[in-house]
Amino acid sequence: MAPPRPSTASTQNTFEPSTSKRVPRNKNFAFKNGHRLHAFDPEKVPYPLSYDRDVLELESMDQIFVQQSMHSASVVDFKERGEYPERSLDLGCGSGTWVIEAAKEWPECYFVGFDLVDVQLPTSILDSDIAKRIEWVHGNFLTNKLPFDDDEFDHVHLQSIGRGVPENKWGMIFDEINRVLRPGGSVEVLEHDIIFPTLPRWFTSPLRIRSKRSESIHHPTNPSHPSSPRPSSPEEPHDHALLESLYYSVFESRFINLRPTAIVPIHFTSNFRQVVAAPVLHFRMPPLPPLQPLPQPLPPSAVLINDSEPSENPRSKSPLTTRPFSVSFSSTSSEATSNSASTGDSTLFSTSVMSEMTLTQPGTSYDRSFSSSASSTVTSGNDASPNSRKPLYIVDNSVAESTLTGVAPSHSLIRLDQIDNLSERALAMQLYWSYKSVLACTEAMWEELDSRIENRPTELMKLGWDGDPELSAAEENRHKFDIMVDRYEKDMHSRVSLWCSLTALGWEVPPREPLSRAELIEEERLYKAIIEARKSATEEDFQTPCRSVRIFVGFKAC
């Protein structure tokens, strides 16, 4: 193992080495409306995401995905090169997930994780052999030079830092990486575009007609009732258009490019050689989840759904035997049908939200890898066979690599064959990651909205701010905003539908509290509305990316 070399970092005031007395974790944080944010000036630190626990856990989800796809913590094939790094830097290390996993894989390497704030796992809870090879360093790489010597590292890792890097800072960052990287050393970048995942109106409209239990029968058709769907305007492409506008404005006002996967190569190639870049992978929206069963059978007089249509009756089968309603990617028909679910629906994606525990198929033990569907086949035609499906992603080769000197396109940076083996339910993980990233910017979006209310109220009117009955009932603007965010979270929670993955593994659906007869009738009406709405689904609704990812690898010239 390479011993820790003396670093110029020890003379800086911008970080706290792990070997010295630690700064209290809350020193550089501000707490607003239940969210933990950094306390730095936004002009110096434009990173808008919170440091809440569920946000930090997204890093673990990504790391599991990379390790399952590449069978390694890194996309660089060091085994083939015959030389592993002795000193590695993770720039923007976050909670330190990559550092810890790479330290397990490279037992002779010393790691430095560099980040703005102290949110890393304490080394005291790690295995002693790993802990002694890890150091956490803190500072702002946007305003200061990296506190390391020239040619100090053999490898540099960057992942998902684009949401905090203004467009004019990328060149400086790669200049500094080039400085601290030894000749022949490697650098890898895993970056994604900034996307606001949206839901079509056919999916969200039925969710809006769910009435409050106490008033479910009194106002079934009253258009002024708060839970009735409001009329849409031509300016609103979907129910969450205002949130989408606020989300993108948060980054645009900070001069952060929404497509870092397109601008990183420009600066990357000016500093490194033998640059290879994977194509952009656009992950599709997941298949439609099944409907949860009603809490109890309705009496015959209350059944509103025609008994001649048992396939549309959510109570006709047990949730453990009913296949999910979904739209077949490979079928020319856009109508949702239970027969279009692929054979991969019986498997489950891995997620750190459940303590990094991956659930496997029924009857098997738990492990920490993605479950795969060996029986699924991937086809590229319009084969409507129930055992066929299109890939979970769209490979985007639209970027003209020939315009970037020194860039070679490569499909080997990520194992597409491994991704192909995943269940379609794995797409729910990608959607979960994206919408949780949106919610991580809640306070930044509120600041943007507050500014618009004061300076540009006309724009808000076009996006339904004053035309939504539910929002109009709120007395304060912050309360209105919270309602809007909560509605988006519930809609996305319904779309991801983790519960249906659990039922495929033999878990029982948590029982719902009993409903009165009138409430059950209302639930039945809602089920029918949702089933009818799903017939409006089109293939385009599932080709819309919920996340876009790209990988780059380069080497410093010798």
Side-chain angles (χ1 to χ4, degrees):
M1 180 189 73
R5 293 192 290 237
S7 170
T8 55
S10 61
T11 63
Q12 302 293 326
N13 296 322
T14 56
F15 78 99
E16 187 79 6
S18 61
T19 54
S20 63
K21 184 177 180 180
R22 300 189 69 86
V23 175
R25 284 191 168 228
N26 290 339
K27 178 180 179 181
N28 294 323
F29 292 107
F31 294 84
K32 298 180 181 179
N33 298 295
H35 298 287
R36 183 169 65 158
L37 311 168
H38 70 71
F40 297 93
D41 185 340
E43 292 188 0
K44 294 182 178 180
V45 183
Y47 184 72
L49 279 70
S50 70
Y51 289 88
D52 298 336
R53 179 177 178 178
D54 57 341
V55 178
L56 295 175
E57 284 177 335
L58 298 178
E59 298 176 23
S60 297
M61 291 178 62
D62 265 359
Q63 189 55 40
I64 293 173
F65 178 78
V66 171
Q67 286 187 269
Q68 182 63 21
S69 300
M70 299 301 299
H71 302 294
S72 173
S74 173
V75 298
V76 180
D77 192 346
F78 291 106
K79 183 177 181 180
E80 181 178 312
R81 294 177 61 85
E83 181 183 7
Y84 286 89
E86 293 184 358
R87 288 183 63 85
S88 179
L89 170 67
D90 186 9
L91 191 60
C93 65
S95 63
T97 300
W98 182 86
V99 168
I100 295 171
E101 293 302 318
K104 296 175 183 177
E105 187 175 336
W106 306 337
E108 302 300 321
C109 185
Y110 187 84
F111 293 85
V112 177
F114 187 93
D115 202 85
L116 177 70
V117 291
D118 182 8
V119 292
Q120 295 75 45
L121 289 174
T123 55
S124 59
I125 69 173
L126 302 176
D127 181 89
S128 59
D129 179 64
I130 293 177
K132 67 183 180 182
R133 294 186 287 113
I134 293 177
E135 179 182 4
W136 305 128
V137 178
H138 303 115
N140 185 357
F141 56 70
L142 295 180
T143 58
N144 302 309
K145 295 181 63 176
L146 293 176
F148 307 113
D149 291 329
D150 295 353
D151 306 335
E152 184 170 339
F153 296 99
D154 307 303
H155 178 69
V156 178
H157 173 266
L158 293 88
Q159 184 166 337
S160 301
I161 69 170
R163 291 170 293 179
V165 178
E167 188 168 352
N168 64 346
K169 294 292 186 178
W170 282 107
M172 181 198 73
I173 290 173
F174 285 124
D175 285 343
E176 275 297 282
I177 293 174
N178 187 49
R179 179 182 67 81
V180 302
L181 192 65
R182 69 164 176 80
S186 57
V187 55
E188 62 179 318
V189 179
L190 291 83
E191 197 53 76
H192 61 272
D193 291 333
I194 298 171
I195 292 178
F196 182 94
T198 62
L199 299 173
R201 287 194 183 278
W202 60 259
F203 184 88
T204 57
S205 292
L207 303 180
R208 302 288 175 265
I209 68 174
R210 181 188 294 274
S211 302
K212 297 179 181 178
R213 285 188 178 182
S214 60
E215 302 175 330
S216 61
I217 302 302
H218 300 296
H219 305 278
T221 58
N222 184 357
S224 63
H225 190 264
S227 59
S228 300
R230 63 182 177 87
S232 59
S233 63
E235 290 84 0
E236 299 175 71
H238 53 83
D239 279 353
H240 306 291
L242 177 53
L243 269 186
E244 180 181 34
S245 176
L246 296 174
Y247 182 65
Y248 288 141
S249 292
V250 163
F251 296 98
E252 290 168 351
S253 64
R254 290 164 167 76
F255 303 101
I256 296 173
N257 195 300
L258 299 178
R259 293 191 60 203
T261 62
I263 65 170
V264 165
I266 300 173
H267 304 284
F268 198 74
T269 55
S270 64
N271 284 278
F272 307 106
R273 301 294 179 266
Q274 296 177 270
V275 174
V276 293
V280 180
L281 292 187
H282 300 295
F283 288 97
R284 299 169 179 264
M285 292 291 287
L288 288 173
L291 299 180
Q292 292 192 34
L294 292 175
Q296 63 186 61
L298 292 174
S301 60
V303 177
L304 301 182
I305 295 181
N306 192 332
D307 291 337
S308 65
E309 300 176 352
S311 62
E312 292 187 351
N313 189 334
R315 298 179 290 106
S316 62
K317 294 183 180 180
S318 163
L320 299 181
T321 58
T322 302
R323 297 185 66 81
F325 292 98
S326 67
V327 172
S328 173
F329 290 136
S330 58
S331 175
T332 56
S333 171
S334 64
E335 182 173 341
T337 170
S338 61
N339 291 331
S340 63
S342 76
T343 56
D345 287 323
S346 62
T347 58
L348 179 66
F349 60 87
S350 172
T351 167
S352 64
V353 178
M354 303 179 68
S355 303
E356 298 184 25
M357 179 180 69
T358 300
L359 304 177
T360 57
Q361 299 187 21
T364 63
S365 60
Y366 297 113
D367 62 23
R368 289 180 176 267
S369 64
F370 277 83
S371 300
S372 62
S373 176
S375 60
S376 296
T377 58
V378 180
T379 61
S380 58
N382 288 328
D383 183 6
S385 167
N387 289 332
S388 66
R389 62 168 183 166
K390 289 187 178 180
L392 308 181
Y393 52 85
I394 299 172
V395 178
D396 184 0
N397 291 306
S398 61
V399 179
E401 305 293 359
S402 59
T403 62
L404 300 173
T405 304
V407 175
S410 172
H411 290 259
S412 63
L413 291 182
I414 189 165
R415 294 281 302 276
L416 296 181
D417 59 325
Q418 296 296 321
I419 300 178
D420 289 338
N421 285 333
L422 298 177
S423 161
E424 287 183 321
R425 286 297 301 161
L427 293 174
M429 181 202 72
Q430 304 296 340
L431 178 57
Y432 177 89
W433 190 98
S434 290
Y435 95 77
K436 278 294 187 179
S437 297
V438 171
L439 296 178
C441 296
T442 294
E443 293 308 310
M445 289 190 291
W446 160 245
E447 293 175 1
E448 178 66 26
L449 174 61
D450 194 37
S451 175
R452 289 194 193 183
I453 292 173
E454 182 177 355
N455 302 311
R456 296 179 289 170
T458 304
E459 294 182 11
L460 298 179
M461 294 179 63
K462 293 180 179 179
L463 294 173
W465 174 249
D466 294 326
D468 190 315
E470 187 176 2
L471 298 184
S472 299
E475 296 182 358
E476 299 180 356
N477 288 330
R478 177 68 200 209
H479 187 199
K480 289 184 181 181
F481 174 73
D482 288 340
I483 291 173
M484 189 167 59
V485 172
D486 182 65
R487 190 161 59 188
Y488 177 74
E489 182 174 15
K490 288 180 178 178
D491 288 350
M492 282 296 172
H493 183 79
S494 176
R495 187 67 177 85
V496 171
S497 192
L498 177 61
W499 74 271
C500 72
S501 294
L502 297 179
T503 59
L505 302 171
W507 290 52
E508 294 185 1
V509 179
R512 295 171 56 186
E513 61 182 89
L515 302 179
S516 67
R517 179 177 177 182
E519 290 168 336
L520 284 170
I521 293 175
E522 188 67 14
E523 285 288 310
E524 195 77 50
R525 183 175 72 89
L526 175 64
Y527 269 62
K528 187 173 183 179
I530 292 176
I531 291 172
E532 288 299 316
R534 291 186 174 199
K535 295 179 180 179
S536 301
T538 65
E539 186 173 352
E540 183 179 356
D541 293 327
F542 299 88
Q543 289 180 335
T544 302
C546 66
R547 192 178 178 196
S548 300
V549 181
R550 198 176 192 193
I551 301 173
F552 305 88
V553 170
F555 298 87
K556 182 175 178 178
C558 296

